[in-house]
């Protein structure tokens, strides 16, 4: 451990002020649609790295480059980047029609009274299979709007249920970028983290489902929605989901999904070979920013650690949180603050990873527990942030369908994130857990 130096944390403060400050100004002062995401996060991290390089004049710039290179020379970083790209290809292959087929198939099986509950379950399944909450919300929210307009269910209830289900899969999926970042950052197997998370997420999801059903049975229903679907398009999702749960290598699981999805999409005539390849490229491109952020955060954290910033932060946390359980809560607060600052749970986890790893050693927290805490706490906050991508995409989808809604209409119906937090605190403080040796 280096000597404590709180000033070394200045680059993180600069990033937060620059990214969060400009985002709020663009979104809420200048009223720019999706203005928060107009801020190039890579540029914001470049500024933070520049600030870090200007600190500690005793170390030459060449030495600082060496320190940053050492921060990147980690098998977990390379693995994370490769999984990001492969997951992007899978999402590009399966596309929109597969998720819609799942939704309309489920809606056709049950009476209209259960439509909102079905939306929640479908969002849970699709997000777990696709590994993206934003993608799930963009695909399922238009269907939720149609359900609301046809049946009489309130729009905030329908949209909030979809968002809650999307965060369920974001937290659990084997190919979610948050899972990849948390597991590789803490050095644990994805199947171990899944088992740890499932015990926390399932009770919250079941209680959410009960609440939705209670509301549904007290609502007067006027009609229903129906549309053609193709069940064969669901197969790639099922293969990825089963392979991940069994514990197969994540690359093998994704490769299986990509091959199966490609064959099905071409055989059913949904797309041409050229469009398939183009979609693969688009899927990879969608992961570019996340990959670059992972690289830049690793370099930045290496400089901060070398200058004693992590030591200062750990000392502060140790004063506020005592013991193994207090350490787990402190780890959650850490990643939660990062998520509030960045409005991106993957970036928050990547930023918190190196600090959390040292905290896990200090507080005797197992890698699987640390990965679970980072992912779950970040998902709780990400789901309810008024300026988060999930919320902004949901609002935009409603407006596209001709509806009117705001974040503050939806938040009271975000049952799942609130219950997930309760479940997590129960498991931290009331359920005995093994300490790391």
């Amino acid at each position: 451990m280096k000597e404590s130096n709180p000033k070394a944390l200045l680059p993180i403060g600069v990033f937060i002020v620059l990214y969060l400050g400009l985002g709020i100004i663009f979104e809420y002062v200048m009223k720019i649609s999706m203005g928060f995401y107009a801020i190039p996060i890579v540029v914001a991290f470049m500024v933070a790295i520049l600030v870090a390089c200007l600190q500690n004049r005793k170390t030459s710039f060449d030495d600082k480059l060496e320190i940053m290179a050492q921060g990147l020379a980690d098998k977990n970083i390379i693995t994370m980047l490769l999984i990001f790209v492969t997951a992007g290809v899978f999402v590009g292959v399966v596309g929109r029609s597969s998720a819609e087929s799942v939704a309309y198939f489920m809606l056709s099986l049950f009476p209209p009274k259960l439509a909102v509950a079905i939306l929640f379950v479908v969002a849970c399944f699709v997000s777990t299979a696709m590994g993206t909450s934003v993608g799930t919300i963009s695909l399922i929210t238009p269907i939720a709007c149609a359900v609301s307009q046809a049946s009489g269910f309130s729009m905030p209830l329908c949209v909030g249920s979809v968002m809650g289900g999307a965060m369920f899969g974001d937290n659990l999926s084997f190919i979610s970028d948050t899972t990849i970042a948390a597991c590789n950052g803490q050095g644990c197997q994805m199947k171990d983290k899944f088992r740890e998370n499932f015990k926390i997420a399932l009770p919250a999801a079941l209680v959410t489902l009960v609440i939705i059903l209670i509301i549904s049975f007290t609502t007067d229903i006027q009609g229903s929605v129906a549309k053609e679907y193709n069940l064969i398009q669901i197969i790639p999702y099922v293969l990825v989901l089963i392979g991940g749960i069994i514990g197969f290598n994540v690359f093998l699981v994704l490769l299986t999904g990509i091959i199966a999805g490609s064959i099905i999409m071409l055989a059913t005539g949904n797309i041409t070979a050229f469009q398939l390849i183009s979609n693969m490229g688009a899927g990879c491109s969608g992961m570019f920013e996340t990959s670059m952020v992972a690289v830049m955060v690793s370099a930045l954290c290496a400089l901060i650690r070398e200058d004693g910033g992590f030591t200062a932060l750990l000392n502060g946390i140790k004063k506020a949180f005592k013991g193994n359980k207090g350490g787990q809560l402190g780890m959650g607060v850490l990643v939660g603050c990062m998520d509030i600052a960045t409005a991106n749970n993957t970036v928050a986890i990547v930023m918190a990873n190196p600090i959390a790893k040292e905290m896990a050693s200090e507080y005797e927290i197992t890698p699987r527990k640390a990965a679970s805490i980072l992912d779950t706490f970040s998902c709780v906050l990400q789901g309810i942030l008024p300026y988060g991508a999930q919320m902004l995409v949901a609002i935009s989808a409603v407006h596209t369908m001709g509806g009117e809604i705001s974040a503050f209409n939806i938040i009271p119906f975000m049952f799942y994130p609130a219950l997930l937090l309760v479940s997590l605190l129960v498991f931290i403080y009331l359920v005995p857990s093994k300490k790391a040796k």
Side-chain angles (χ1 to χ4, degrees):
M1 295 290 288
K2 301 292 181 179
E3 184 179 347
S4 177
N5 178 20
K7 292 181 181 179
L9 296 170
L10 178 62
I12 295 178
V14 169
F15 168 78
I16 291 172
V17 170
L18 185 63
Y19 188 72
L20 181 61
L22 287 176
I24 291 173
I25 290 172
F26 284 2
E27 185 75 32
Y28 296 103
V29 178
M30 299 176 67
K31 304 294 184 182
I32 298 174
S33 178
M34 297 291 285
F36 200 94
Y37 291 87
I39 311 299
I41 193 170
V42 173
V43 175
F45 272 117
M46 278 293 295
V47 174
I49 289 175
L50 177 62
V51 172
C53 288
L54 292 175
Q55 290 183 303
N56 190 9
R57 299 294 179 87
K58 295 179 182 179
T59 305
S60 69
F61 182 68
D62 283 343
D63 288 339
K64 289 173 181 175
L65 290 175
E66 183 68 30
I67 291 168
M68 288 190 280
Q70 290 172 0
L72 295 174
D74 188 322
K75 184 187 78 171
N76 290 325
I77 299 296
I78 301 301
T79 303
M80 187 191 310
L81 295 175
L82 290 175
I83 295 175
F84 279 153
V85 173
T86 313
V89 173
F90 173 73
V91 173
V93 166
V94 295
R96 174 182 293 270
S97 57
S98 298
E100 291 178 344
S101 291
V102 176
Y104 286 114
F105 168 65
M106 293 291 290
L107 287 171
S108 70
L109 292 179
F110 297 92
K113 203 81 170 175
L114 301 178
V116 181
I118 296 303
L119 288 173
F120 174 72
V121 173
V122 167
C124 288
F125 172 79
V126 171
S127 59
T128 304
M130 286 183 65
T132 166
S133 55
V134 173
T136 300
I137 290 167
S138 67
L139 295 175
I140 309 299
T141 298
I143 302 174
C145 293
V147 168
S148 174
Q149 292 164 355
S151 65
F153 284 115
S154 77
M155 187 73 76
L157 173 63
C158 294
V159 175
S161 298
V162 170
M163 290 183 65
M167 298 315 297
F168 174 89
D170 193 285
N171 183 220
L172 283 178
S173 175
F174 285 85
I175 60 172
S176 167
D177 44 7
T178 58
T179 296
I180 296 165
C183 291
N184 283 278
Q186 299 305 307
C188 75
Q189 294 291 322
M190 290 189 182
K191 61 181 180 180
D192 293 332
K193 182 258 184 187
F194 175 84
R195 290 165 184 161
E196 195 78 33
N197 263 32
F198 192 71
K199 294 180 291 186
I200 299 169
L202 182 61
L206 291 176
V207 176
T208 299
L209 192 58
V210 170
I211 293 172
I212 292 172
L213 288 171
I214 291 172
I215 296 174
S216 297
F217 282 109
T218 57
T219 303
D220 292 329
I221 304 303
Q222 301 166 3
S224 61
V225 295
K227 191 176 179 180
E228 291 184 359
Y229 53 84
N230 191 342
L231 280 182
I232 196 173
Q233 294 176 356
I234 303 174
I235 293 175
Y237 288 153
V238 176
L239 290 175
V240 169
L241 195 58
I242 293 174
I245 293 172
I246 292 173
F248 289 152
N249 179 278
V250 64
F251 288 110
L252 179 61
V253 170
L254 286 171
L255 184 60
T256 302
I258 290 169
I259 293 173
S262 299
I263 293 172
I264 290 169
M265 290 298 173
L266 290 173
T268 55
N270 281 340
I271 55 176
T272 64
F274 175 79
Q275 289 172 326
L276 179 66
I277 295 172
S278 178
N279 290 346
M280 288 181 179
C284 287
S285 299
M287 288 293 187
F288 170 76
E289 186 174 77
T290 302
S291 300
M292 279 304 302
V293 166
V295 169
M296 300 183 79
V297 168
S298 299
L300 177 63
C301 287
L303 286 175
I304 294 173
R305 183 191 292 110
E306 182 69 22
D307 291 343
F310 286 178
T311 304
L313 191 57
L314 282 173
N315 289 343
I317 290 173
K318 281 191 286 186
K319 291 179 182 178
F321 301 96
K322 307 295 182 183
N324 176 269
K325 295 185 181 298
Q328 293 179 49
L329 181 61
M331 193 179 290
V333 171
L334 170 69
V335 74
C337 291
M338 297 291 189
D339 190 63
I340 291 171
T342 62
N344 186 313
N345 46 347
T346 305
V347 175
I349 292 170
V350 172
M351 290 179 68
N353 260 331
I355 306 170
K357 196 160 188 175
E358 295 188 29
M359 288 179 66
S361 176
E362 182 73 26
Y363 287 98
E364 298 179 312
I365 302 170
T366 61
R368 60 194 286 177
K369 174 69 78 174
S372 175
I373 289 171
L374 289 174
D375 200 349
T376 307
F377 263 105
S378 66
C379 280
V380 167
L381 281 164
Q382 185 68 27
I384 61 174
L385 281 180
Y387 52 88
Q390 289 77 1
M391 189 70 74
L392 296 177
V393 167
I395 293 170
S396 176
V398 173
H399 289 173
T400 301
M401 296 292 290
E404 288 294 331
I405 201 169
S406 75
F408 300 102
N409 297 138
I410 300 171
I411 289 173
F413 294 92
M414 294 293 292
F415 306 125
Y416 178 74
L419 290 167
L420 182 62
L421 177 60
V422 172
S423 182
L424 179 56
L425 294 176
V426 167
F427 269 83
I428 288 177
Y429 284 101
L430 300 181
V431 178
S433 59
K434 293 181 180 179
K435 290 186 178 181
K437 295 181 179 179

